[in-house]
Amino acid sequence: MTISVYNTPFRKKQEFTPLTGNRVNMYACGVTVYDMSHIGHARSMIIFDVISRFIRSKGYDLTFVRNFTDVDDKIIARANELGTSYKEISERYIDEFQADMRTLKVQKADVEPKATEYMPQIIDMILRLEEKGFAYRADDGSVYYSVTKFRGYGSLSGRRTEEMLAGARVDIGELKRDPLDFALWKRSKEGEPWWESPWSRGRPGWHIECSAMSTSILGPTIDIHGGGRDLVFPHHENEIAQSEGTYGVPFVRYWVHNGFVTIDGEKMSKSLGNFLTIRDLVKDVHPEVLRLLLISQHYRSPINFSRDSLQASTQAMVRFYEVLDRVNRCPATAPENRLTPLTGTFLEDFDQALSDDFNTPRAIALLHDLTTVLNRTLDDSPAVTAADRDGVKGAFGKASEVLGILEEEPAGFLESVRRSGMSATGLGASEIEELISQRAAARKARDFGKADGIRDLLLSKGIQLKDTPEGTLWETL
RNA sequence: GGCGGCAUAGCCAAGUGGUAAGGCGACGGUCUGCAAAACCGUUAUUCACCGGUUCAAAUCCGGUUGCCGCCUCCA
């Protein structure tokens, strides 16, 4: 099944074919490291994580690059605020970011370049742009990109240069010729970090680093370039102008942009101050629940974060793990395979769903369908074959390989969900288990008053019992 | 103001020409000593509104209304 991808500049899905045989080059814009990452970053990282996992699972030879912007105005501002160096700030928040990604099971990219490690390449690219007449020097030693020199500027975002020029604001004190021109090289002020260059002691503008890192690692034309919707203009538009201006070949074949996480319907961002950090969230929420939540809506749509959506995702994860656990606990005494035909169908449908522009919501719906049909079969007769068990493992294993959920031992996951609610119950696991076995004994003796008394006692402490053919389970409410 | 996107049941949400996935919730049933869980069934003759194209439209085109994003740092 070939993959179709929604390509931003064309505003429609297109069949995906790599530029070179089986090789796929992908670049995703990473984060500017000046603060803790929030759930909006998590969404973007998880989406490109799933995309890269899926592309690999289809057998492509993928090289995935995700950068760090480790020098920029905000980092410098933060450093000054805290009386430290930009380097300390960026290194610290890169470490924090990496820790968050490990928690969220976001795989490391093949190359994770930092802007400051690519100064020669950045400077070289600006020199070439100068030679070709796309860049000009300002009086202060900064260098700007002349947007009107690049035909096709605005094609990604669907804007016309003339219209933008007409409506543009002009900042006082800027040394640009046109308001749309953007800095390739900025002369550093007193006390700011700088690098030696042909123009001035300064630092690169934000956009040039991605062009330089992308082309020097992956070549002048790459297959997939992605990032948040907010990067379409001007960031990605400027990257195109820079890279195509330098090399004269198409920069990116498929542009992929993800929608925002909103809170109460408003975009979450650092500047609005309405953001939830990943670190805070995973204190109470299992990382897989967070992953499921963030991929349960299509990547291009905005997703609203709420207590309700968190609750729904938790329930869904518990449902998946319970059926897995159920299959594990079933005796392997069935005379014939009943689950393997179901899991076989699932695998085909799952691939089809994700091949259609990475439709994770549909893939998750398929997991629900599979869960239902597995439960139904086991309700009918609670026995499996060894092949059934492997089939179920294979099906959920595929989901775990691609979506990065369901990677834990079912019993362990259910245990950790229980534990997250257990402090409120005032009981320990062993006490609960003891009460459950007392109840079982009472039921066996048909002393239902006592049995129900125990059940009510546990319920009053927030513990719900579930009697299954394979035994009694419990969960915290 | 310019550009772009979205509007599907009580809620969340798939679905880009062929007659409305999935989840949560609610209600009825099976199971159960009774419950819970699990399972079965019901819950949108209809996809913001108005026109148009078509044998056929939630899906395409035009218009209206509402919401959101970008245009300044932003995943």
Side-chain angles (χ1 to χ4, degrees):
Chain A
M1 184 107 211
T2 55
I3 302 175
S4 73
V5 181
Y6 183 93
N7 199 356
T8 303
F10 296 94
R11 296 195 178 76
K12 63 179 181 195
K13 290 184 206 168
Q14 296 178 331
E15 188 174 303
F16 176 75
T17 49
L19 180 65
T20 323
N22 200 41
R23 295 194 47 80
V24 177
N25 288 330
M26 178 159 98
Y27 185 99
C29 286
V31 289
T32 301
V33 277
Y34 69 98
D35 204 346
M36 296 300 283
S37 296
H38 57 63
I39 184 179
H41 298 119
R43 183 186 194 193
S44 193
M45 299 310 138
I46 287 169
I47 283 164
F48 287 100
D49 183 48
V50 169
I51 289 175
S52 65
R53 285 163 177 255
F54 183 63
I55 287 173
R56 286 214 169 91
S57 87
K58 300 282 274 185
Y60 290 109
D61 180 12
L62 174 73
T63 304
F64 178 38
V65 177
R66 184 178 53 221
N67 73 293
F68 287 107
T69 298
D70 65 341
V71 60
D72 111 306
D73 292 355
K74 291 206 152 188
I75 298 171
I76 294 166
R78 193 73 202 269
N80 290 340
E81 196 181 296
L82 298 175
T84 180
S85 69
Y86 87 94
K87 197 84 189 158
E88 242 173 81
I89 294 293
S90 63
E91 280 175 2
R92 176 179 157 194
Y93 286 111
I94 285 172
D95 288 346
E96 300 285 16
F97 175 86
Q98 298 288 24
D100 284 340
M101 293 305 109
R102 280 193 297 275
T103 306
L104 294 175
K105 301 180 189 180
V106 171
Q107 296 176 341
K108 278 185 82 71
D110 298 293
V111 188
E112 300 189 335
K114 303 181 185 89
T116 54
E117 294 169 344
Y118 282 79
M119 283 304 159
Q121 292 88 338
I122 289 169
I123 289 167
D124 179 64
M125 196 164 195
I126 300 173
L127 280 172
R128 293 211 207 186
L129 285 169
E130 234 183 347
E131 275 165 33
K132 295 195 167 193
F134 290 108
Y136 60 90
R137 243 174 250 222
D139 293 340
D140 73 339
S142 294
V143 183
Y144 289 96
Y145 191 103
S146 181
V147 160
T148 51
K149 296 271 167 55
F150 183 71
R151 257 188 327 169
Y153 189 78
S155 60
L156 176 69
S157 54
R159 294 155 205 250
R160 290 171 197 281
T161 313
E162 315 83 67
E163 284 172 0
M164 287 190 281
L165 283 171
R169 279 172 273 183
V170 184
D171 292 331
I172 296 163
E174 292 265 4
L175 300 163
K176 303 171 183 178
R177 289 181 190 159
D178 271 317
L180 293 179
D181 293 351
F182 56 92
L184 295 167
W185 189 259
K186 298 161 93 160
R187 181 200 196 96
S188 289
K189 298 192 198 82
E190 192 62 32
E192 292 180 343
W194 54 265
W195 284 259
E196 206 64 73
S197 84
W199 314 283
S200 60
R201 289 181 166 182
R203 62 179 185 277
W206 174 39
H207 315 292
I208 192 70
E209 62 175 68
C210 280
S211 284
M213 290 188 276
S214 170
T215 51
S216 54
I217 298 167
L218 297 172
T221 300
I222 64 173
D223 292 301
I224 301 172
H225 191 124
R229 278 217 75 79
D230 51 350
L231 299 182
V232 174
F233 189 90
H235 185 55
H236 288 161
E237 199 74 73
N238 291 350
E239 283 186 47
I240 294 172
Q242 292 162 349
S243 291
E244 297 192 359
T246 306
Y247 295 102
V249 295
F251 176 43
V252 171
R253 304 179 61 241
Y254 303 91
W255 283 98
V256 175
H257 292 100
N258 66 273
F260 296 122
V261 177
T262 62
I263 293 223
D264 301 325
E266 251 193 338
K267 178 186 171 184
M268 163 168 9
S269 72
K270 289 180 181 176
S271 37
L272 289 174
N274 62 341
F275 64 94
L276 293 167
T277 65
I278 297 167
R279 198 61 55 84
D280 281 342
L281 257 128
V282 296
K283 282 180 190 157
D284 310 309
V285 181
H286 192 284
E288 289 199 348
V289 170
L290 206 50
R291 275 188 85 105
L292 182 71
L293 171 67
L294 292 174
I295 61 174
S296 61
Q297 240 162 96
H298 190 87
Y299 74 86
R300 278 187 278 116
S301 308
I303 181 169
N304 197 47
F305 185 86
S306 66
R307 276 288 137 193
D308 285 352
S309 57
L310 206 52
Q311 170 70 13
S313 297
T314 306
Q315 283 187 56
M317 284 308 303
V318 167
R319 186 164 182 258
F320 297 149
Y321 272 117
E322 277 185 343
V323 77
L324 259 173
D325 191 35
R326 192 176 177 189
V327 171
N328 285 345
R329 286 182 294 111
C330 265
T333 55
E336 55 175 354
N337 298 333
R338 291 177 304 151
L339 306 185
T340 40
L342 307 173
T343 55
T345 311
F346 168 82
L347 286 172
E348 284 170 34
D349 294 346
F350 188 78
D351 177 65
Q352 195 173 354
L354 290 174
S355 294
D356 182 12
D357 196 26
F358 317 110
N359 196 323
T360 50
R362 217 158 82 203
I364 291 162
L366 290 167
L367 275 174
H368 278 288
D369 289 342
L370 179 65
T371 300
T372 299
V373 79
L374 290 176
N375 271 321
R376 183 194 302 158
T377 310
L378 295 179
D379 272 2
D380 190 41
S381 145
V384 299
T385 64
D388 280 340
R389 243 185 224 160
D390 290 344
V392 171
K393 240 173 225 165
F396 283 86
K398 191 70 183 178
S400 111
E401 175 197 339
V402 176
L403 302 180
I405 56 173
L406 296 163
E407 285 182 346
E408 304 200 5
E409 278 303 310
F413 177 88
L414 295 170
E415 181 64 30
S416 77
V417 170
R418 280 191 208 116
R419 202 164 286 155
S420 71
M422 217 161 74
S423 54
T425 69
L427 293 172
S430 57
E431 289 171 84
I432 295 166
E433 297 296 343
E434 172 58 24
L435 285 165
I436 287 174
S437 59
Q438 282 178 26
R439 170 171 170 267
R443 290 179 72 202
K444 204 163 186 183
R446 301 193 70 78
D447 183 353
F448 297 121
K450 186 177 176 192
D452 292 353
I454 293 170
R455 187 174 67 198
D456 293 344
L457 171 74
L458 287 170
L459 191 60
S460 72
K461 302 212 181 253
I463 293 158
Q464 178 72 256
L465 299 185
K466 299 179 177 183
D467 292 328
T468 73
E470 297 85 30
T472 298
L473 304 174
W474 60 276
E475 65 179 32
T476 50
L477 296 176

